[in-house]
């Protein structure tokens, strides 16, 4: 298979809030410019099968615009999309996800991760595993701050 090896990166944070409250913040995409770090813009319908527009800026300043397709949008549980470089599967695909796992009534584990595939992964992995991972962490911290305030 030309697609090459899959790599996955995950980050998580525990937020002192219900999954419902966190879901409301991550799906209120008009507000992203007010608080979000890393994912600066997310526009479009968050329904399964829809194409959205995502603008990201890594901590090192690399900017990227993608138009992924929503794979999963399950209230208070999971939001997932699939982006492709150049619209093809073999170069680089990223399956990005947000998962919400209740710890108890007022605490939720927020997991942000991505599964990467494609022939460019060996060339890009070092940057993905450092700069992009840091971007995920910054988004998680900003989300926690937004939800808990």
């Amino acid at each position: 298979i030309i697609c090459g090896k899959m790599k996955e990166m995950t980050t998580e944070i525990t937020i002192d809030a219900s999954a419902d409250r966190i879901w409301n913040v991550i799906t209120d995409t008009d507000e992203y410019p007010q608080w979000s770090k890393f994912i600066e813009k997310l526009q479009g319908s968050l329904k399964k099968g829809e194409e959205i527009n995502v603008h990201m800026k890594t901590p090192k300043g690399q900017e990227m615009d993608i138009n992924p397709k929503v794979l999963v949008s399950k209230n208070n549980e999971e939001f997932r999309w699939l982006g492709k470089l150049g619209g093809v599967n073999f170069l680089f695909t990223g399956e990005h996800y947000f998962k919400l796992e209740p710890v108890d009534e007022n605490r939720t584990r927020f997991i942000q991760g991505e599964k990467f595939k494609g022939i460019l992964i060996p060339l890009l992995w070092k940057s993905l595993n450092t700069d992009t991972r840091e971007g995920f962490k910054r988004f998680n911290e900003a989300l926690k701050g937004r939800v808990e305030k």
Side-chain angles (χ1 to χ4, degrees):
I1 289 180
I2 293 177
C3 286
K5 199 171 177 181
M6 193 264 297
K7 294 267 194 183
E8 185 168 9
M9 175 171 48
T10 61
T11 60
E12 65 178 65
I13 194 166
T14 299
I15 300 174
D16 295 330
S18 66
D20 181 57
R21 174 132 172 74
I22 297 165
W23 184 261
N24 288 337
V25 172
I26 62 174
T27 58
D28 185 2
T29 59
D30 290 342
E31 290 293 314
Y32 272 46
Q34 306 302 316
W35 65 268
S36 180
K37 307 288 185 244
F38 180 64
I39 299 173
E40 295 187 333
K41 185 175 79 174
L42 198 160
Q43 294 178 314
S45 170
L46 305 186
K47 293 184 178 115
K48 181 179 177 181
E50 295 291 324
E51 188 175 282
I52 56 176
N53 175 261
V54 181
H55 178 80
M56 293 178 266
K57 186 175 181 182
T58 70
K60 289 184 179 172
Q62 182 184 358
E63 296 192 46
M64 192 179 349
D65 281 298
I66 59 170
N67 294 297
K69 188 177 209 173
V70 177
L71 299 177
V72 177
S73 187
K74 194 168 183 186
N75 281 0
N76 306 330
E77 289 183 32
E78 182 178 11
F79 180 60
R80 182 181 295 261
W81 72 68
L82 179 67
K84 302 174 185 179
L85 182 65
V88 293
N89 286 325
F90 69 89
L91 290 176
F92 179 94
T93 64
E95 186 175 316
H96 197 99
Y97 56 87
F98 298 147
K99 290 184 183 177
L100 302 172
E101 295 179 351
V103 175
D104 58 39
E105 212 173 280
N106 297 307
R107 290 173 57 228
T108 304
R109 182 175 300 109
F110 175 77
I111 302 163
Q112 179 178 196
E114 192 153 352
K115 294 178 183 178
F116 302 98
K117 290 181 188 171
I119 60 175
L120 296 179
I121 298 306
L123 299 171
L124 300 173
W125 182 246
K126 186 177 179 184
S127 172
L128 291 168
N129 201 31
T130 54
D131 196 28
T132 302
R133 180 183 295 277
E134 183 59 32
F136 283 19
K137 290 178 182 175
R138 288 184 184 187
F139 179 92
N140 297 356
E141 290 288 344
L143 175 64
K144 179 179 174 77
R146 178 76 170 191
V147 171
E148 291 181 355
K149 79 170 190 174

PDB file of all heavy atoms in Angstrom, residues 77-98:
ATOM      1  N   GLU A  77     -20.108  13.966  22.881  1.00  0.00           N
ATOM      2  CA  GLU A  77     -19.218  12.803  22.874  1.00  0.00           C
ATOM      3  C   GLU A  77     -18.011  12.940  21.951  1.00  0.00           C
ATOM      4  O   GLU A  77     -16.883  12.761  22.386  1.00  0.00           O
ATOM      5  CB  GLU A  77     -19.981  11.538  22.487  1.00  0.00           C
ATOM      6  CG  GLU A  77     -20.938  11.061  23.547  1.00  0.00           C
ATOM      7  CD  GLU A  77     -21.627   9.757  23.169  1.00  0.00           C
ATOM      8  OE1 GLU A  77     -21.008   8.921  22.471  1.00  0.00           O
ATOM      9  OE2 GLU A  77     -22.789   9.591  23.564  1.00  0.00           O
ATOM     10  N   GLU A  78     -18.270  13.246  20.661  1.00  0.00           N
ATOM     11  CA  GLU A  78     -17.144  13.219  19.712  1.00  0.00           C
ATOM     12  C   GLU A  78     -17.428  14.066  18.485  1.00  0.00           C
ATOM     13  O   GLU A  78     -18.535  14.087  17.956  1.00  0.00           O
ATOM     14  CB  GLU A  78     -16.879  11.781  19.272  1.00  0.00           C
ATOM     15  CG  GLU A  78     -15.716  11.641  18.325  1.00  0.00           C
ATOM     16  CD  GLU A  78     -15.433  10.195  17.929  1.00  0.00           C
ATOM     17  OE1 GLU A  78     -16.251   9.303  18.221  1.00  0.00           O
ATOM     18  OE2 GLU A  78     -14.388   9.981  17.299  1.00  0.00           O
ATOM     19  N   PHE A  79     -16.372  14.764  18.046  1.00  0.00           N
ATOM     20  CA  PHE A  79     -16.390  15.504  16.792  1.00  0.00           C
ATOM     21  C   PHE A  79     -15.120  15.107  16.059  1.00  0.00           C
ATOM     22  O   PHE A  79     -14.028  15.148  16.631  1.00  0.00           O
ATOM     23  CB  PHE A  79     -16.432  17.018  17.059  1.00  0.00           C
ATOM     24  CG  PHE A  79     -16.453  17.839  15.805  1.00  0.00           C
ATOM     25  CD1 PHE A  79     -17.471  17.708  14.880  1.00  0.00           C
ATOM     26  CD2 PHE A  79     -15.443  18.759  15.545  1.00  0.00           C
ATOM     27  CE1 PHE A  79     -17.490  18.454  13.715  1.00  0.00           C
ATOM     28  CE2 PHE A  79     -15.453  19.512  14.382  1.00  0.00           C
ATOM     29  CZ  PHE A  79     -16.481  19.367  13.473  1.00  0.00           C
ATOM     30  N   ARG A  80     -15.253  14.677  14.790  1.00  0.00           N
ATOM     31  CA  ARG A  80     -14.102  14.147  14.037  1.00  0.00           C
ATOM     32  C   ARG A  80     -14.198  14.580  12.584  1.00  0.00           C
ATOM     33  O   ARG A  80     -15.265  14.582  12.003  1.00  0.00           O
ATOM     34  CB  ARG A  80     -14.156  12.617  14.145  1.00  0.00           C
ATOM     35  CG  ARG A  80     -13.046  11.870  13.474  1.00  0.00           C
ATOM     36  CD  ARG A  80     -13.244  10.363  13.643  1.00  0.00           C
ATOM     37  NE  ARG A  80     -13.141   9.930  15.014  1.00  0.00           N
ATOM     38  CZ  ARG A  80     -12.031   9.384  15.544  1.00  0.00           C
ATOM     39  NH1 ARG A  80     -10.961   9.193  14.804  1.00  0.00           N
ATOM     40  NH2 ARG A  80     -12.019   9.017  16.802  1.00  0.00           N
ATOM     41  N   TRP A  81     -13.031  14.950  12.016  1.00  0.00           N
ATOM     42  CA  TRP A  81     -13.009  15.294  10.592  1.00  0.00           C
ATOM     43  C   TRP A  81     -11.800  14.674   9.914  1.00  0.00           C
ATOM     44  O   TRP A  81     -10.840  14.288  10.563  1.00  0.00           O
ATOM     45  CB  TRP A  81     -13.033  16.804  10.380  1.00  0.00           C
ATOM     46  CG  TRP A  81     -11.766  17.559  10.721  1.00  0.00           C
ATOM     47  CD1 TRP A  81     -10.561  17.499  10.080  1.00  0.00           C
ATOM     48  CD2 TRP A  81     -11.586  18.511  11.771  1.00  0.00           C
ATOM     49  NE1 TRP A  81      -9.662  18.347  10.661  1.00  0.00           N
ATOM     50  CE2 TRP A  81     -10.257  18.983  11.698  1.00  0.00           C
ATOM     51  CE3 TRP A  81     -12.419  19.024  12.760  1.00  0.00           C
ATOM     52  CZ2 TRP A  81      -9.750  19.940  12.584  1.00  0.00           C
ATOM     53  CZ3 TRP A  81     -11.902  19.965  13.635  1.00  0.00           C
ATOM     54  CH2 TRP A  81     -10.597  20.412  13.542  1.00  0.00           C
ATOM     55  N   LEU A  82     -11.864  14.591   8.579  1.00  0.00           N
ATOM     56  CA  LEU A  82     -10.764  14.039   7.788  1.00  0.00           C
ATOM     57  C   LEU A  82     -10.330  15.062   6.751  1.00  0.00           C
ATOM     58  O   LEU A  82     -11.136  15.500   5.924  1.00  0.00           O
ATOM     59  CB  LEU A  82     -11.190  12.746   7.081  1.00  0.00           C
ATOM     60  CG  LEU A  82     -10.127  12.085   6.200  1.00  0.00           C
ATOM     61  CD1 LEU A  82      -8.977  11.553   7.053  1.00  0.00           C
ATOM     62  CD2 LEU A  82     -10.739  10.963   5.377  1.00  0.00           C
ATOM     63  N   GLY A  83      -9.057  15.432   6.818  1.00  0.00           N
ATOM     64  CA  GLY A  83      -8.475  16.358   5.850  1.00  0.00           C
ATOM     65  C   GLY A  83      -7.445  15.631   4.995  1.00  0.00           C
ATOM     66  O   GLY A  83      -6.786  14.699   5.454  1.00  0.00           O
ATOM     67  N   LYS A  84      -7.308  16.070   3.742  1.00  0.00           N
ATOM     68  CA  LYS A  84      -6.362  15.458   2.812  1.00  0.00           C
ATOM     69  C   LYS A  84      -5.531  16.550   2.147  1.00  0.00           C
ATOM     70  O   LYS A  84      -6.065  17.574   1.753  1.00  0.00           O
ATOM     71  CB  LYS A  84      -7.100  14.695   1.709  1.00  0.00           C
ATOM     72  CG  LYS A  84      -8.013  13.616   2.188  1.00  0.00           C
ATOM     73  CD  LYS A  84      -8.807  13.037   1.030  1.00  0.00           C
ATOM     74  CE  LYS A  84      -9.811  12.040   1.517  1.00  0.00           C
ATOM     75  NZ  LYS A  84     -10.607  11.493   0.431  1.00  0.00           N
ATOM     76  N   LEU A  85      -4.249  16.295   1.983  1.00  0.00           N
ATOM     77  CA  LEU A  85      -3.376  17.212   1.273  1.00  0.00           C
ATOM     78  C   LEU A  85      -3.594  17.022  -0.221  1.00  0.00           C
ATOM     79  O   LEU A  85      -3.481  15.899  -0.738  1.00  0.00           O
ATOM     80  CB  LEU A  85      -1.911  16.953   1.627  1.00  0.00           C
ATOM     81  CG  LEU A  85      -0.888  17.881   0.979  1.00  0.00           C
ATOM     82  CD1 LEU A  85      -1.075  19.314   1.467  1.00  0.00           C
ATOM     83  CD2 LEU A  85       0.523  17.410   1.286  1.00  0.00           C
ATOM     84  N   GLY A  86      -3.969  18.091  -0.907  1.00  0.00           N
ATOM     85  CA  GLY A  86      -4.183  18.023  -2.340  1.00  0.00           C
ATOM     86  C   GLY A  86      -5.380  17.179  -2.761  1.00  0.00           C
ATOM     87  O   GLY A  86      -5.493  16.805  -3.921  1.00  0.00           O
ATOM     88  N   GLY A  87      -6.233  16.854  -1.803  1.00  0.00           N
ATOM     89  CA  GLY A  87      -7.439  16.085  -2.111  1.00  0.00           C
ATOM     90  C   GLY A  87      -7.210  14.614  -2.419  1.00  0.00           C
ATOM     91  O   GLY A  87      -8.090  13.926  -2.898  1.00  0.00           O
ATOM     92  N   VAL A  88      -5.986  14.138  -2.132  1.00  0.00           N
ATOM     93  CA  VAL A  88      -5.686  12.724  -2.397  1.00  0.00           C
ATOM     94  C   VAL A  88      -5.283  12.024  -1.101  1.00  0.00           C
ATOM     95  O   VAL A  88      -4.761  12.652  -0.184  1.00  0.00           O
ATOM     96  CB  VAL A  88      -4.572  12.546  -3.466  1.00  0.00           C
ATOM     97  CG1 VAL A  88      -5.037  13.018  -4.821  1.00  0.00           C
ATOM     98  CG2 VAL A  88      -3.295  13.263  -3.062  1.00  0.00           C
ATOM     99  N   ASN A  89      -5.521  10.720  -1.056  1.00  0.00           N
ATOM    100  CA  ASN A  89      -5.265   9.958   0.170  1.00  0.00           C
ATOM    101  C   ASN A  89      -3.808   9.588   0.413  1.00  0.00           C
ATOM    102  O   ASN A  89      -3.394   9.435   1.540  1.00  0.00           O
ATOM    103  CB  ASN A  89      -6.083   8.664   0.167  1.00  0.00           C
ATOM    104  CG  ASN A  89      -7.547   8.915   0.439  1.00  0.00           C
ATOM    105  OD1 ASN A  89      -7.902   9.804   1.209  1.00  0.00           O
ATOM    106  ND2 ASN A  89      -8.397   8.132  -0.191  1.00  0.00           N
ATOM    107  N   PHE A  90      -3.009   9.405  -0.632  1.00  0.00           N
ATOM    108  CA  PHE A  90      -1.699   8.796  -0.438  1.00  0.00           C
ATOM    109  C   PHE A  90      -0.612   9.742   0.062  1.00  0.00           C
ATOM    110  O   PHE A  90       0.358   9.296   0.655  1.00  0.00           O
ATOM    111  CB  PHE A  90      -1.247   8.057  -1.707  1.00  0.00           C
ATOM    112  CG  PHE A  90      -0.928   8.957  -2.861  1.00  0.00           C
ATOM    113  CD1 PHE A  90       0.344   9.461  -3.038  1.00  0.00           C
ATOM    114  CD2 PHE A  90      -1.916   9.288  -3.789  1.00  0.00           C
ATOM    115  CE1 PHE A  90       0.639  10.289  -4.114  1.00  0.00           C
ATOM    116  CE2 PHE A  90      -1.634  10.105  -4.857  1.00  0.00           C
ATOM    117  CZ  PHE A  90      -0.349  10.616  -5.022  1.00  0.00           C
ATOM    118  N   LEU A  91      -0.750  11.062  -0.148  1.00  0.00           N
ATOM    119  CA  LEU A  91       0.291  11.988   0.292  1.00  0.00           C
ATOM    120  C   LEU A  91       0.259  12.220   1.800  1.00  0.00           C
ATOM    121  O   LEU A  91       1.245  12.007   2.503  1.00  0.00           O
ATOM    122  CB  LEU A  91       0.154  13.338  -0.420  1.00  0.00           C
ATOM    123  CG  LEU A  91       0.480  13.370  -1.899  1.00  0.00           C
ATOM    124  CD1 LEU A  91       0.201  14.758  -2.465  1.00  0.00           C
ATOM    125  CD2 LEU A  91       1.932  12.982  -2.144  1.00  0.00           C
ATOM    126  N   PHE A  92      -0.900  12.702   2.280  1.00  0.00           N
ATOM    127  CA  PHE A  92      -1.020  13.055   3.689  1.00  0.00           C
ATOM    128  C   PHE A  92      -2.492  13.201   4.029  1.00  0.00           C
ATOM    129  O   PHE A  92      -3.196  13.989   3.401  1.00  0.00           O
ATOM    130  CB  PHE A  92      -0.304  14.393   3.946  1.00  0.00           C
ATOM    131  CG  PHE A  92      -0.381  14.870   5.370  1.00  0.00           C
ATOM    132  CD1 PHE A  92       0.643  14.578   6.258  1.00  0.00           C
ATOM    133  CD2 PHE A  92      -1.457  15.619   5.816  1.00  0.00           C
ATOM    134  CE1 PHE A  92       0.573  15.026   7.570  1.00  0.00           C
ATOM    135  CE2 PHE A  92      -1.524  16.072   7.123  1.00  0.00           C
ATOM    136  CZ  PHE A  92      -0.505  15.771   8.007  1.00  0.00           C
ATOM    137  N   THR A  93      -2.964  12.429   4.980  1.00  0.00           N
ATOM    138  CA  THR A  93      -4.315  12.626   5.500  1.00  0.00           C
ATOM    139  C   THR A  93      -4.218  12.762   7.013  1.00  0.00           C
ATOM    140  O   THR A  93      -3.344  12.161   7.651  1.00  0.00           O
ATOM    141  CB  THR A  93      -5.283  11.464   5.174  1.00  0.00           C
ATOM    142  OG1 THR A  93      -4.831  10.275   5.807  1.00  0.00           O
ATOM    143  CG2 THR A  93      -5.425  11.251   3.681  1.00  0.00           C
ATOM    144  N   GLY A  94      -5.108  13.566   7.546  1.00  0.00           N
ATOM    145  CA  GLY A  94      -5.184  13.738   8.983  1.00  0.00           C
ATOM    146  C   GLY A  94      -6.624  13.575   9.435  1.00  0.00           C
ATOM    147  O   GLY A  94      -7.518  14.266   8.941  1.00  0.00           O
ATOM    148  N   GLU A  95      -6.843  12.620  10.319  1.00  0.00           N
ATOM    149  CA  GLU A  95      -8.169  12.412  10.898  1.00  0.00           C
ATOM    150  C   GLU A  95      -8.128  12.988  12.313  1.00  0.00           C
ATOM    151  O   GLU A  95      -7.603  12.377  13.238  1.00  0.00           O
ATOM    152  CB  GLU A  95      -8.514  10.920  10.910  1.00  0.00           C
ATOM    153  CG  GLU A  95      -9.930  10.642  11.351  1.00  0.00           C
ATOM    154  CD  GLU A  95     -10.302   9.174  11.253  1.00  0.00           C
ATOM    155  OE1 GLU A  95      -9.977   8.531  10.231  1.00  0.00           O
ATOM    156  OE2 GLU A  95     -10.934   8.690  12.205  1.00  0.00           O
ATOM    157  N   HIS A  96      -8.657  14.201  12.438  1.00  0.00           N
ATOM    158  CA  HIS A  96      -8.599  14.977  13.675  1.00  0.00           C
ATOM    159  C   HIS A  96      -9.829  14.685  14.516  1.00  0.00           C
ATOM    160  O   HIS A  96     -10.918  14.535  13.976  1.00  0.00           O
ATOM    161  CB  HIS A  96      -8.555  16.473  13.306  1.00  0.00           C
ATOM    162  CG  HIS A  96      -8.100  17.344  14.424  1.00  0.00           C
ATOM    163  ND1 HIS A  96      -6.815  17.805  14.509  1.00  0.00           N
ATOM    164  CD2 HIS A  96      -8.757  17.842  15.499  1.00  0.00           C
ATOM    165  CE1 HIS A  96      -6.694  18.551  15.594  1.00  0.00           C
ATOM    166  NE2 HIS A  96      -7.874  18.580  16.219  1.00  0.00           N
ATOM    167  N   TYR A  97      -9.647  14.626  15.836  1.00  0.00           N
ATOM    168  CA  TYR A  97     -10.812  14.365  16.679  1.00  0.00           C
ATOM    169  C   TYR A  97     -10.754  15.076  18.021  1.00  0.00           C
ATOM    170  O   TYR A  97      -9.685  15.356  18.549  1.00  0.00           O
ATOM    171  CB  TYR A  97     -11.012  12.854  16.893  1.00  0.00           C
ATOM    172  CG  TYR A  97      -9.814  12.130  17.466  1.00  0.00           C
ATOM    173  CD1 TYR A  97      -9.609  12.049  18.847  1.00  0.00           C
ATOM    174  CD2 TYR A  97      -8.895  11.504  16.630  1.00  0.00           C
ATOM    175  CE1 TYR A  97      -8.506  11.381  19.365  1.00  0.00           C
ATOM    176  CE2 TYR A  97      -7.800  10.823  17.139  1.00  0.00           C
ATOM    177  CZ  TYR A  97      -7.611  10.766  18.515  1.00  0.00           C
ATOM    178  OH  TYR A  97      -6.515  10.104  19.020  1.00  0.00           O
ATOM    179  N   PHE A  98     -11.955  15.370  18.511  1.00  0.00           N
ATOM    180  CA  PHE A  98     -12.195  15.845  19.869  1.00  0.00           C
ATOM    181  C   PHE A  98     -13.105  14.789  20.499  1.00  0.00           C
ATOM    182  O   PHE A  98     -14.144  14.460  19.935  1.00  0.00           O
ATOM    183  CB  PHE A  98     -12.964  17.165  19.902  1.00  0.00           C
ATOM    184  CG  PHE A  98     -12.296  18.345  19.267  1.00  0.00           C
ATOM    185  CD1 PHE A  98     -13.066  19.305  18.633  1.00  0.00           C
ATOM    186  CD2 PHE A  98     -10.924  18.523  19.308  1.00  0.00           C
ATOM    187  CE1 PHE A  98     -12.489  20.422  18.054  1.00  0.00           C
ATOM    188  CE2 PHE A  98     -10.329  19.641  18.724  1.00  0.00           C
ATOM    189  CZ  PHE A  98     -11.114  20.594  18.097  1.00  0.00           C
TER     190      PHE A  98
END
